[in-house]
Amino acid sequence: MESIQSIKQRFEIIGNDVKLNRAIEKAIQVAPTDISVLVTGESGVGKEAIPKIIHSLSHRKHAKYIAVNCGAIPEGTIDSELFGHEKGAFTGATATRSGYFEVADGGTIFLDEVGELPLTTQVRLLRVLENGEFLKVGSSQVQKTDVRIVAATNVNMFEAIKKEKFREDLYYRLSTVEINIPPLRERKEDIHLLFRKFASDFGQKYKMPTIRLDDDAVQLLLKYRWPGNIRQLRNIAEQISVLEESRLISLATLNSYLPNSSSSNLPAIVGKEKKEGDFSTEREILYKVLFDMKGDLNDLKKLTLELLKHNDSEKVQEENENLIRKIYGDDEEEYAEQEESPSEILQLPEPYIEKPIVKSPQQEDKYHFAEEIQEEETLSLQDKEIELIKKSLERNKGKRKAASAELGISERTLYRKIKQYDL
Ligand SMILES: Nc1ncnc2c1ncn2[C@@H]1O[C@H](COP(=O)(O)OP(=O)(O)OP(=O)(O)O)[C@@H](O)[C@H]1O
Ligand SMILES: [Mg+2]
């Protein structure tokens, strides 16, 4: 079996992210079979390499590989494109034509943006997947074909099914094996690597010295949300390579190329190390909240025990001053410690930056203030939690066991939360 490394070289895939490696490994594993594969992931993450890998490692490698962009073919002609038509089937059908499923017999068809297929075409596709049979448009003669299908989508298929835009039975047929490509923002270690690769490529292409980012610009590169993923990163590397005179790119210069960033929003970076409270993933946020909550709970347990033992609240208060401060946050220093200077936080407009939760103390009525902050945090964290649970359930096709394992919580807790949030 060819190694992940050599596949990456062959298909010019840059990156060492664990999830990316797992995706490639899965492609290598399923390649020799005829199993249908659905490649999922946001726009621009690099889904198109996967069907190529699968085809080239399969027994079909000497037969045809046809990539069809289902979103780009008009609804009126897609059936004819895919399955062919008979002469006279519709106005303009002056001759019989073979479709991709006939031409690619023995090979592989990559159905890109499969979520865009019209419902009528989905019925035809389901039939091909089930027994290899199809009909040309305008014909009643059943034809047979032997095609392996790899599909890709950047839309949420569960949503599409819910909205009755996509057939559920077809979805399960297509996604016997699902390969997910992670978004760039979750591949922090690959971002700069990819940028350097693109910078070097464009330096060569345009016969100019390669651009380089200064340290602050690298931090911005890592903090940015990259909604267009690798495609966007590549475009930006190209634009900067061509348009900038200086080959050392500053934070301000890079910022000016990122959509929705403006000079008035220039981020100021002081610390370069990852600080406490500087969360890079949603999961980290959730873990931090859970750990904090667990800590608070233990402190409260201790306090309750003391109260029960001594039955003298004043004495307990005196003796447990520190603990009480810790739990209720009624302490100037404690706030000062937790506070992050705004200058240490990258300030970019939403939704492009994953924002850390920032507490800023301004207290006369500290107790009231603490309540406000808590409520705000609880709300946004609740939203995050709901989103995380939803996403995980989607990814795991509603399987609670897998989702709870992924979220790092017990199945029972997950069940409770599903009920609580009415998911
Ligand atoms: N790991 C990678 N290394 C180098 N280049 C990459 C990598 N992944 C993607 N690219 C490049 O990024 C661009 C976008 O990739 P691709 O077209 O596969 O995206 P996609 O996931 O199909 O997006 P969409 O859903 O919008 O079609 C391409 O130019 C591709 O060559
Ligand atoms: Mg694509």
Side-chain angles (χ1 to χ4, degrees), residues 110-130:
F110 170 41
L111 294 175
D112 202 0
E113 295 186 36
V114 74
E116 302 293 319
L117 277 183
L119 282 164
T120 47
T121 314
Q122 291 178 30
V123 180
R124 286 174 180 268
L125 183 58
L126 189 63
R127 185 165 178 192
V128 177
L129 277 161
E130 271 172 355

Side-chain angles (χ1 to χ4, degrees), residues 76-331:
T77 53
I78 192 147
D79 283 356
S80 153
E81 293 272 337
L82 292 175
F83 306 103
H85 62 247
E86 283 298 332
K87 184 178 173 179
F90 47 85
T91 331
T94 49
T96 299
R97 180 184 177 278
S98 301
Y100 300 138
F101 274 91
E102 191 172 338
V103 176
D105 193 10
T108 308
I109 289 188
F110 170 41
L111 294 175
D112 202 0
E113 295 186 36
V114 74
E116 302 293 319
L117 277 183
L119 282 164
T120 47
T121 314
Q122 291 178 30
V123 180
R124 286 174 180 268
L125 183 58
L126 189 63
R127 185 165 178 192
V128 177
L129 277 161
E130 271 172 355
N131 49 25
E133 288 178 0
F134 70 95
L135 295 173
K136 276 196 170 101
V137 177
S139 164
S140 53
Q141 200 188 333
V142 177
Q143 285 183 246
K144 278 273 199 189
T145 186
D146 166 28
V147 170
R148 201 255 182 93
I149 295 183
V150 181
T153 181
N154 58 29
V155 299
N156 183 331
M157 294 300 270
F158 288 100
E159 286 284 309
I161 293 168
K162 231 196 224 149
K163 288 185 192 152
E164 300 190 350
K165 286 189 175 162
F166 207 85
R167 293 180 64 108
E168 194 173 2
D169 45 7
L170 178 60
Y171 167 76
Y172 287 113
R173 269 277 168 190
L174 286 172
S175 61
T176 313
V177 166
E178 184 176 326
I179 297 182
N180 179 261
I181 314 286
L184 189 56
R185 67 182 159 282
E186 284 177 19
R187 296 168 54 184
K188 296 276 186 221
E189 291 187 1
D190 288 347
I191 300 179
H192 195 201
L193 189 69
L194 278 155
F195 186 88
R196 288 202 302 267
K197 162 78 167 77
F198 294 142
S200 151
D201 288 353
F202 291 122
Q204 276 181 20
K205 182 173 174 189
Y206 298 113
K207 302 196 171 38
M208 290 162 121
T210 303
I211 51 164
R212 207 160 50 78
L213 299 176
D214 74 15
D215 289 351
D216 289 347
V218 173
Q219 292 303 310
L220 174 57
L221 199 75
L222 304 186
K223 272 274 178 182
Y224 186 65
R225 203 174 174 276
W226 297 110
N229 292 294
I230 300 181
R231 183 181 291 118
Q232 184 189 12
L233 181 75
R234 192 169 179 272
N235 287 349
I236 281 170
E238 182 164 25
Q239 286 175 41
I240 301 179
S241 297
V242 175
L243 300 174
E244 288 303 316
E245 235 166 69
S246 165
R247 300 280 93 186
L248 181 62
I249 306 304
S250 68
L251 175 109
T253 307
L254 175 62
N255 192 48
S256 68
Y257 284 86
L258 300 178
N260 274 22
S261 293
S262 66
S263 50
S264 59
N265 262 318
L266 258 188
I269 298 171
V270 178
K272 293 183 183 72
E273 293 302 315
K274 196 176 166 196
K275 297 183 292 292
E276 203 192 322
D278 177 9
F279 308 103
S280 50
T281 65
E282 291 163 343
R283 188 183 296 205
E284 273 178 61
I285 299 177
L286 210 69
Y287 279 150
K288 164 117 179 63
V289 175
L290 288 174
F291 282 130
D292 286 354
M293 267 166 58
K294 197 172 171 195
D296 281 354
L297 201 69
N298 284 338
D299 291 342
L300 275 168
K301 272 189 204 161
K302 245 188 249 170
L303 206 63
T304 319
L305 203 69
E306 290 292 307
L307 276 167
L308 284 173
K309 263 197 227 159
H310 302 287
N311 205 13
D312 177 352
S313 86
E314 256 178 44
K315 189 169 169 243
V316 172
Q317 270 188 47
E318 259 171 46
E319 284 177 1
N320 294 282
E321 208 181 328
N322 283 344
L323 199 62
I324 293 170
R325 273 198 210 131
K326 198 173 152 212
I327 302 169
Y328 294 100
D330 190 8
D331 185 309

Side-chain angles (χ1 to χ4, degrees), residues 385-403:
E385 191 177 55
I386 292 172
E387 202 184 311
L388 265 172
I389 293 173
K390 268 191 187 161
K391 275 190 192 158
S392 178
L393 283 169
E394 268 172 32
R395 266 196 299 274
N396 293 293
K397 307 205 177 90
K399 285 185 196 130
R400 286 185 190 149
K401 197 167 179 184

